[in-house]
Amino acid sequence: ASDETDSDKKASDETDSGGEQRVCFALKYMCLTLNRTLTSVSETVQHCKADHGVDIPDLVQKHRLDDYGYIKMINYIRTTKVSTESLLLTSNGPLPWDSDEYMKPALPDDPLLQIDVEELSEATAVTLSPAAGDQVSLLLQRARQAEDRAQRAEEALARAMDDLHKLKSCFFFFSKYKQISIIQLDKVRTESYRDFMYRNMEVFKGKVVLDVGCGTGILSMFAAKAGARKVIAVDQSEIIYQAMDIVRSNKLEDTITLIKGRIEEIDLPVEKVDIIISEWMGYFLLFESMLDSVLYARDRYLAEDGLVYPDRCSISLAAVGDTQKHSDRIAFWDDVYGFKMSCMKKAVIPEAVVEMLKPETVISEAAVVKTIDCGSVTVSELEFTVDFSLKITASTFCTVMFSTAPDCTKTHWKQAVFLLESPIPVKTGEELPGQITVHKNRKDPRALLITLDIAGRKQTYSLQ
């Protein structure tokens, strides 16, 4: 690298062979022509403006760049060696540095990337102030910059809110197709609702029915076919619009009224309903469930002698002896290709698993740990601590605890599985005592924290 400093050499290095001027920046405050040392970011900015006609703060303001946009622009200029003319003629449409590839620094420890947009403007304001004593001009300039920062912050907030809206839409999109897959794949659940309503038409005949979380409206249509005088179907997700089309296609629009929104935030077109139906159950019964919303609807809209269906639900526990599963999931970490990774158990064990278990691996009778009467239970009662005792039916090692019977027809609920760190030796006929505590995750009310205390071994699991 040459350290000549004459102006002819400088002009030659900063102009390409076609006579077009290129933008240079400082590398460790050294001009890219490698023949001029600059002492600071502000001097670099002045150099770009005076020698190249490029005002960096002005470009930031012109294109309303946030910190990310500024970083991309600097890296774009460094990477592409863009001409001054091209840079100044950049329109307010899609910017040439919008690609995320320009988030990668073109230079290591680039000083221009170690200052944010606000600091850049303030540093430049002090350096470019026309006179040290011109306080009024300086204050006005800073006020304008503060106003501009506030505007950019407001626009950034608007973009963030837009992103949040898209995220919610994505969640509702997922939720919608999750409900569709349930109808397609879970015949046990859907047919249970259908059979109950069709076999008990006298319960529904002439009644006003509320369907909380109606999804595609399948339960609402069952209720209408069972003789309900009026059905009000409520769902907050976008699937409500498909449900409207489905109801019209089946010529049930005179009976079924569909409303989009959270049951807690809307007003129904009636004061009271006779029956509330809902498919609110989740994994481990209570995970990601809508029971809280159903109870709100019950307390606000259900007539004094009204009914809630399902009316009773229960959670049961049983022990499993599956040494292969324990070896694959837990003991595996004791020797991973010759390396000890036992610490990984602490990360794996607390995560409850939802999957189908083999009925032959069950080694105890099931014990009911919670029964829920949907007509009277309160929200606070959905968090509980209960002692239980499992009667062992096979002499082996207990490796897993689970809920939901594996010997029934498969459903979308599957079983909630809680892996034990160390197998517990058990014998046929003996009782395995324990205690279970269930409460909501305060950080995510849809999720559950479940603590099992068995044979003096205590472990908290997260179902999320």
Side-chain angles (χ1 to χ4, degrees):
S2 171
D3 50 9
E4 295 175 13
T5 58
D6 61 278
S7 59
D8 289 339
K9 176 65 176 175
K10 172 180 178 291
S12 174
D13 285 344
E14 295 185 4
T15 305
D16 68 10
S17 58
E20 189 175 44
Q21 192 175 45
R22 301 283 172 175
V23 181
C24 75
F25 284 136
L27 170 57
K28 297 291 187 182
Y29 305 126
M30 181 75 74
C31 180
L32 284 182
T33 58
L34 300 180
N35 66 353
R36 182 175 180 185
T37 301
L38 302 169
T39 60
S40 66
V41 169
S42 50
E43 186 178 348
T44 303
V45 172
Q46 287 187 71
H47 166 72
C48 289
K49 182 175 182 180
D51 291 13
H52 301 284
V54 176
D55 188 332
I56 299 299
D58 185 62
L59 284 174
V60 169
Q61 184 172 5
K62 174 185 175 183
H63 298 297
R64 297 194 175 280
L65 302 180
D66 56 14
D67 287 328
Y68 293 113
Y70 166 72
I71 290 171
K72 290 180 180 180
M73 181 182 72
I74 296 298
N75 289 326
Y76 167 76
I77 295 172
R78 287 200 184 280
T79 302
T80 63
K81 303 298 191 295
V82 63
S83 69
T84 299
E85 182 179 11
S86 297
L87 188 61
L88 295 178
L89 290 177
T90 301
S91 67
N92 284 324
L95 298 171
W97 54 80
D98 275 346
S99 172
D100 285 343
E101 69 178 288
Y102 296 115
M103 284 299 293
K104 181 180 180 181
L107 299 175
D109 300 322
D110 191 341
L112 286 179
L113 302 186
Q114 297 175 21
I115 183 170
D116 62 29
V117 172
E118 286 77 10
E119 291 173 345
L120 176 70
S121 301
E122 290 170 0
T124 308
V126 174
T127 305
L128 300 181
S129 181
D134 193 355
Q135 295 298 319
V136 174
S137 175
L138 181 58
L139 289 173
L140 287 173
Q141 190 174 11
R142 286 181 172 175
R144 285 192 295 270
Q145 291 168 345
E147 184 178 354
D148 186 60
R149 288 199 302 272
Q151 177 67 25
R152 287 200 301 273
E154 185 175 339
E155 291 173 353
L157 178 60
R159 289 194 298 273
M161 293 299 293
D162 184 58
D163 289 343
L164 180 60
H165 175 73
K166 291 178 181 177
L167 183 62
K168 287 181 177 178
S169 297
C170 185
F171 170 75
F172 288 138
F173 176 84
F174 168 78
S175 178
K176 173 172 68 175
Y177 284 96
K178 177 182 174 183
Q179 293 173 44
I180 291 172
S181 68
I182 287 171
I183 291 176
Q184 291 175 326
L185 301 176
D186 200 342
K187 292 179 61 179
V188 174
R189 175 160 50 174
T190 304
E191 291 180 3
S192 294
Y193 279 94
R194 181 200 62 188
D195 294 346
F196 166 74
M197 286 188 257
Y198 286 3
R199 293 170 183 172
N200 295 277
M201 288 189 174
E202 70 281 0
V203 174
F204 290 86
K205 187 176 181 179
K207 299 297 177 60
V208 177
V209 178
L210 170 61
D211 182 358
V212 179
C214 66
T216 59
I218 186 69
L219 301 191
S220 295
M221 292 188 290
F222 287 156
K225 289 292 187 179
R229 173 171 58 86
K230 184 178 185 64
V231 180
I232 302 168
V234 178
D235 202 296
Q236 67 172 329
S237 76
E238 303 300 313
I239 200 173
I240 193 77
Y241 300 116
Q242 279 73 37
M244 292 175 181
D245 290 338
I246 291 169
V247 167
R248 283 192 293 268
S249 297
N250 289 277
K251 296 181 172 51
L252 292 171
E253 63 270 26
D254 292 337
T255 302
I256 301 175
T257 299
L258 295 113
I259 302 174
K260 186 178 188 302
R262 295 182 69 243
I263 189 66
E264 294 89 347
E265 298 173 356
I266 63 173
D267 293 316
L268 298 186
V270 297
E271 288 188 9
K272 295 294 180 181
V273 300
D274 302 302
I275 297 173
I276 293 176
I277 56 174
S278 179
E279 193 290 283
W280 55 263
M281 293 78 76
Y283 304 129
F284 194 74
L285 189 63
L286 298 176
F287 169 67
E288 207 179 28
S289 79
M290 291 175 50
L291 184 53
D292 289 14
S293 296
V294 173
L295 300 186
Y296 173 88
R298 179 199 68 188
D299 295 342
R300 179 173 177 184
Y301 292 111
L302 191 63
E304 188 173 345
D305 57 349
L307 301 169
V308 180
Y309 294 113
D311 54 350
R312 291 176 68 85
C313 305
S314 63
I315 301 173
S316 299
L317 284 181
V320 167
D322 191 338
T323 54
Q324 185 61 51
K325 186 182 296 293
H326 187 272
S327 176
D328 293 342
R329 302 277 182 86
I330 307 300
F332 166 82
W333 298 105
D334 290 330
D335 184 352
V336 182
Y337 302 105
F339 298 98
K340 294 181 179 180
M341 296 189 183
S342 300
C343 61
M344 287 298 298
K345 293 181 183 180
K346 301 299 182 183
V348 174
I349 292 171
E351 293 294 330
V353 182
V354 177
E355 62 182 26
M356 296 299 301
L357 291 174
K358 298 176 182 178
E360 60 269 23
T361 62
V362 178
I363 60 169
S364 79
E365 296 178 359
V368 175
V369 296
K370 183 67 175 179
T371 298
I372 297 173
D373 183 338
C374 297
S376 61
V377 71
T378 63
V379 171
S380 63
E381 290 172 338
L382 301 181
E383 298 183 284
F384 56 90
T385 296
V386 175
D387 293 327
F388 63 85
S389 182
L390 302 178
K391 185 174 182 179
I392 301 301
T393 57
S395 298
T396 182
F397 288 91
C398 175
T399 59
V400 179
M401 304 298 293
F402 77 96
S403 70
T404 308
D407 54 347
C408 300
T409 305
K410 294 180 180 179
T411 71
H412 124 279
W413 288 304
K414 304 180 183 178
Q415 286 89 42
V417 178
F418 310 101
L419 298 168
L420 304 181
E421 181 173 0
S422 301
I424 301 172
V426 292
K427 294 182 179 180
T428 302
E430 72 179 14
E431 297 283 336
L432 181 62
Q435 184 181 80
I436 183 171
T437 298
V438 177
H439 60 87
K440 295 176 183 177
N441 188 334
R442 301 300 178 231
K443 296 180 180 179
D444 179 6
R446 296 164 47 252
L448 295 174
L449 293 176
I450 301 163
T451 301
L452 285 172
D453 191 341
I454 305 170
R457 307 175 189 183
K458 192 172 185 178
Q459 176 67 53
T460 296
Y461 302 87
S462 176
L463 194 56
Q464 59 187 7

